[in-house]
């Protein structure tokens, strides 16, 4: 894993950028690559969050325009929704050219705003982000698609401090067996699992959506929890500290880069799910790394 700085006004090689990200590097910008109006920034820096144990951050779903986790008057919620919608649109416009091979292929996932100081947060274990982990979303299975995230630290004075761990190949080699990769793989594609999958899809088609998870998705959820639960891993695994300074941005596939956030407040973020078919280096994906390791297919329908 390397942090690779993208110089302002440097010529863009978008295929190379996609490849670097897929291989587990972080692309870093010492600025936010689009303007956020100063009165919007001021509003964001004054935003307060609702029930901080229930909602880890303020989330915004750009499609339906759903804002969650914000405490404040209705008109402030509308203003925040408008700002988040704009952040999401500008990030997507920027990435649509910076990562052109993915444009139009990704699905736009949640955006978020993170106004709470991350140091010393009191959260349930599996929600604690100061523990190293790779991302997996219980409600959004990807079937081998990848979780791409664009972050901006809009804090005018303080950095956002992360730690990042070893590459996914090494991580999986050391820890996937203990997280029961073999057991998940063995159940993949069995008649029982197929019947369950068909039932989940049938319920979805009559309006009762349940997450339709592949074996890959089931494993990645387990892996996320397993790493957070594993004290030995949390204390002794190799890691690098990174500090994202005020007014900077970074792009990262958080499904392959183990990460934790140690301190900082006021980050904005937009997530994309990049489908497996759109990847430029599919062999470097967590799906293929895990499949090579357990010698089984993890996306049998
Ligand atoms: C995460 O662990 O995905 C969140 C990182 C952050 O909020 O900086
Ligand atoms: Fe995470």
């Amino acid at each position: 894993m390397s942090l690779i700085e993208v110089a302002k006004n440097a010529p863009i090689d978008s295929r190379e950028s996609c490849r670097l990200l897929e291989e587990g590097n972080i692309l870093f910008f010492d600025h936010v690559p689009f303007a956020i109006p100063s009165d919007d920034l001021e509003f964001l820096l004054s935003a307060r969050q609702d029930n901080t144990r229930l909602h880890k951050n303020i989330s915004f779903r750009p499609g339906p325009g759903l804002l969650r986790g914000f405490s404040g008057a209705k008109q402030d919620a509308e203003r925040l929704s408008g700002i988040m919608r704009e952040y999401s649109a500008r990030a997507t416009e920027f990435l649509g050219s910076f990562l052109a091979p993915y444009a139009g292929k990704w699905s736009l996932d949640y955006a978020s705003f993170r106004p709470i100081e991350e140091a010393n947060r009191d959260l349930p274990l599996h929600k604690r982000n100061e523990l190293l982990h790779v991302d997996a979303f219980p409600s959004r299975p990807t079937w081998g698609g990848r979780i791409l995230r664009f972050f901006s630290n809009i804090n005018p004075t303080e950095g956002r401090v992360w730690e990042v761990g070893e590459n996914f190949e090494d991580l999986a080699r050391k820890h996937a067996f203990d997280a029961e990769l073999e057991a998940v793989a063995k159940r993949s594609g069995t008649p029982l699992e197929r019947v369950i999958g068909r039932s989940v899809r049938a319920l979805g088609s009559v309006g009762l959506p349940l997450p339709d998870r592949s074996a890959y998705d089931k494993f990645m959820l387990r892996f996320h929890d397993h790493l957070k639960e594993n004290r030995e891993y949390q204390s002794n695994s190799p890691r690098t500290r990174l500090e994202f300074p005020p007014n900077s941005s970074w792009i990262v596939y958080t499904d392959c880069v183990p990460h934790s956030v140690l301190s900082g407040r006021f980050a904005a973020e937009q997530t994309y799910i990049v489908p497996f078919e759109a990847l430029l280096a599919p062999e470097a994906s967590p799906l293929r790394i895990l499949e090579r390791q357990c010698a089984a297919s993890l996306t049998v329908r």
Side-chain angles (χ1 to χ4, degrees):
M1 194 296 302
S2 304
L3 185 83
I4 298 172
E5 178 156 0
V6 181
K8 224 173 197 164
N9 305 323
I12 297 172
D13 181 343
S14 55
R15 290 187 71 81
E16 178 66 3
S17 299
C18 292
R19 197 175 291 279
L20 287 168
L21 288 167
E22 289 178 32
E23 288 168 354
N25 299 291
I26 299 179
L27 298 186
F28 170 76
F29 304 79
D30 70 356
H31 57 286
V32 179
F34 44 84
I36 302 177
S38 58
D39 51 341
D40 287 357
L41 264 182
E42 225 165 88
F43 181 85
L44 288 173
L45 298 175
S46 70
R48 290 293 162 266
Q49 187 179 326
D50 204 7
N51 192 336
T52 56
R53 268 181 79 83
L54 182 66
H55 301 284
K56 201 154 74 169
N57 48 60
I58 296 172
S59 70
F60 179 72
R61 288 166 66 183
L66 261 182
L67 186 73
R68 288 251 163 82
F70 174 67
S71 65
K74 189 160 176 275
Q75 74 201 50
D76 289 341
E78 277 164 15
R79 170 115 198 250
L80 182 54
S81 294
I83 297 173
M84 292 306 293
R85 183 177 294 293
E86 189 60 19
Y87 177 81
S88 166
R90 300 302 303 275
T92 304
E93 184 185 21
F94 168 70
L95 293 178
S97 77
F98 187 76
L99 303 176
Y102 298 153
K105 296 182 181 163
W106 55 39
S107 72
L108 187 59
D109 198 72
Y110 294 21
S112 65
F113 179 55
R114 299 156 183 259
I116 304 208
E117 172 55 55
E118 297 291 343
N120 306 313
R121 284 188 72 170
D122 174 28
L123 286 167
L125 181 94
H126 291 157
K127 288 193 174 179
R128 281 170 54 189
N129 275 351
E130 86 284 13
L131 300 171
L132 278 172
H133 64 282
V134 286
D135 284 347
F137 302 138
S139 59
R140 282 106 73 211
T142 72
W143 290 77
R146 308 227 23 210
I147 299 175
L148 180 70
R149 307 181 83 183
F150 175 81
F151 288 88
S152 305
N153 179 16
I154 62 162
N155 190 316
T157 54
E158 281 166 42
R160 192 169 188 84
V161 177
W162 276 27
E163 281 183 339
V164 294
E166 62 210 312
N167 68 60
F168 194 87
E169 186 103 44
D170 290 342
L171 181 79
R173 191 165 33 73
K174 293 182 197 166
H175 299 283
F177 184 83
D178 284 346
E180 300 189 345
L181 174 62
E182 315 292 321
V184 173
K186 214 176 257 169
R187 286 197 293 274
S188 172
T190 57
L192 177 64
E193 291 271 301
R194 285 184 177 202
V195 169
I196 294 171
R198 276 201 294 275
S199 313
V200 164
R201 288 188 281 279
L203 285 173
S205 69
V206 298
L208 283 173
L210 292 174
D212 176 17
R213 292 184 190 130
S214 63
Y216 170 73
D217 296 298
K218 290 175 191 166
F219 175 75
M220 290 300 279
L221 285 171
R222 297 183 75 94
F223 205 28
H224 167 275
D225 291 355
H226 172 83
L227 294 173
K228 285 190 176 176
E229 287 161 11
N230 186 334
R231 285 185 190 209
E232 151 72 20
Y233 171 71
Q234 292 300 332
S235 322
N236 298 329
S237 64
R239 68 202 60 198
T240 308
R241 182 183 183 278
L242 299 176
E243 180 159 349
F244 302 106
N247 302 313
S248 63
S249 299
W250 59 105
I251 321 174
V252 54
Y253 272 114
T254 52
D255 52 7
C256 73
V257 177
H259 58 283
S260 62
V261 54
L262 300 187
S263 68
R265 60 188 299 205
F266 302 125
E269 172 265 341
Q270 173 66 57
T271 298
Y272 304 83
I273 307 295
V274 178
F276 188 81
E277 301 68 43
L279 299 175
L280 301 189
E283 295 313 311
S285 68
L287 173 65
R288 288 290 185 252
I289 289 172
L290 293 169
E291 287 184 335
R292 283 197 294 274
Q293 190 170 320
C294 67
S297 166
L298 297 172
T299 54
V300 181
R301 275 202 190 263

